[in-house]
């Protein structure tokens, strides 16, 4: 895909993101007291760090990609550090809550668990969560069939097989989002694969406006299902 297309995908990604991270953490942390120090491992551009920040006095997002961190949004009580799960740039016994938002699949290892034990304060919580936005139906309604992914990525990966972490909850569920046609179009265009298929179908000129128009013909509001995977642990 050309640099121009990549810029367009990034623009749509930034234009509208459903608050899924916030909704999942709200379900897990609504009745918990504020944490002093939060750690978000594999934070990307900081979307998940933003979701964690209301529950913490201070939060740190750790991400191996400097390019991603260069795009991270500024948050009053957050900072970002370059690192990964096996080399967390924090002092011992620091973090009161640690989150993995769609990053555990890439980070899980024995060395990660050892690092979690090192940086965690006594009784720290560890939360792993992920989600899948169900969009194939809308692509089909636009006349586009999407091939099934064969990447092997596991949205449901967790720490349930790890003796060092005591499982408090492990759940799968779903969230229903109500999006207007413009919001849905931004979500559709925020994937390079879907963007390319939409351009192939409708052409590059005015493609976003054309897709919004097509979606409006289907309905003014669209219910989008999001499959969620969440698990919560306490370090032994």
């Amino acid at each position: 895909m050309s640099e121009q297309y990549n810029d367009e995908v990034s623009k749509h990604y930034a234009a509208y993101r459903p608050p899924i991270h916030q909704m999942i953490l709200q379900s897990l942390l609504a009745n918990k007291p504020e944490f002093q120090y939060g750690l978000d491992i594999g934070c990307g551009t900081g979307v998940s760090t933003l979701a964690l920040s209301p529950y913490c006095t201070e939060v740190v997002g750790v991400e191996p990609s400097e390019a991603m961190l260069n795009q991270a949004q500024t948050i009053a009580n957050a900072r970002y550090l370059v690192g990964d799960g096996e080399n967390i740039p924090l002092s011992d016994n620091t973090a009161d809550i640690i989150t993995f938002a769609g990053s555990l699949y890439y980070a899980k290892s024995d060395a990660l668990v050892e690092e979690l034990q090192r940086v965690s304060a006594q009784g720290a919580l560890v939360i792993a969560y992920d989600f899948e936005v169900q969009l194939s139906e809308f692509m089909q309604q636009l006349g586009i069939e999407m091939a099934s992914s064969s990447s092997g990525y596991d949205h449901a990966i967790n720490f349930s097989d790890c003796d060092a972490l005591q499982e408090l909850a492990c759940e799968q569920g779903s969230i229903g989002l109500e999006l207007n046609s413009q919001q849905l179009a931004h979500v559709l265009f925020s994937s390079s694969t879907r963007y390319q298929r939409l351009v192939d179908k409708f052409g590059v000129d005015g493609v976003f406006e054309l897709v919004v128009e097509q979606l409006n013909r289907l309905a003014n509001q669209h219910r989008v299902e999001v499959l969620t995977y969440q698990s919560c642990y306490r370090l032994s």
Side-chain angles (χ1 to χ4, degrees), residues 191-202:
S191 153
S192 58
T193 301
R194 290 193 302 270
Y195 187 99
Q196 184 65 67
R197 295 298 305 276
L198 289 163
V199 167
D200 290 344
K201 174 73 175 181
F202 297 106

Side-chain angles (χ1 to χ4, degrees), residues 40-49 62-63 65 68-69 71-72 80:
D40 181 28
I41 297 179
C43 68
T45 60
V47 175
S48 50
T49 310
V62 171
E63 166 62 40
S65 169
M68 296 286 272
L69 290 182
Q71 300 179 54
Y80 300 100

Side-chain angles (χ1 to χ4, degrees), residues 145-222:
E145 292 288 338
M146 299 294 293
S148 299
S149 172
S150 58
S151 66
Y153 181 87
D154 182 7
H155 290 86
I157 191 168
N158 56 43
F159 288 110
S160 296
D161 59 348
C162 180
D163 293 338
L165 290 95
Q166 175 192 0
E167 183 177 291
L168 303 177
C170 185
E171 304 169 344
Q172 296 185 18
S174 64
I175 296 171
L177 301 175
E178 292 291 336
L179 307 183
N180 62 37
S181 294
Q182 187 172 61
Q183 290 170 333
L184 176 55
H186 281 307
V187 173
L188 292 175
F189 276 92
S190 64
S191 153
S192 58
T193 301
R194 290 193 302 270
Y195 187 99
Q196 184 65 67
R197 295 298 305 276
L198 289 163
V199 167
D200 290 344
K201 174 73 175 181
F202 297 106
V204 68
D205 294 333
V207 61
F208 178 77
E209 291 76 13
L210 182 56
V211 168
V212 171
E213 181 182 337
Q214 294 285 329
L215 291 172
N216 273 328
R217 290 178 180 174
L218 298 171
N220 292 325
Q221 290 288 119
H222 308 271

Side-chain angles (χ1 to χ4, degrees), residues 13-30:
Y13 187 92
Y16 177 72
R17 300 303 300 165
I20 302 170
H21 295 268
Q22 288 89 335
M23 296 170 78
I24 292 174
L25 288 183
Q26 171 70 16
S27 71
L28 293 169
L29 300 176

Side-chain angles (χ1 to χ4, degrees), residues 29 32-38 55-58 96-97 125:
L29 300 176
K32 298 287 192 301
E34 183 176 72
F35 299 92
Q36 179 65 30
Y37 205 98
Y55 302 97
C56 304
T57 303
E58 182 179 359
D96 300 297
I97 181 169
L125 286 183

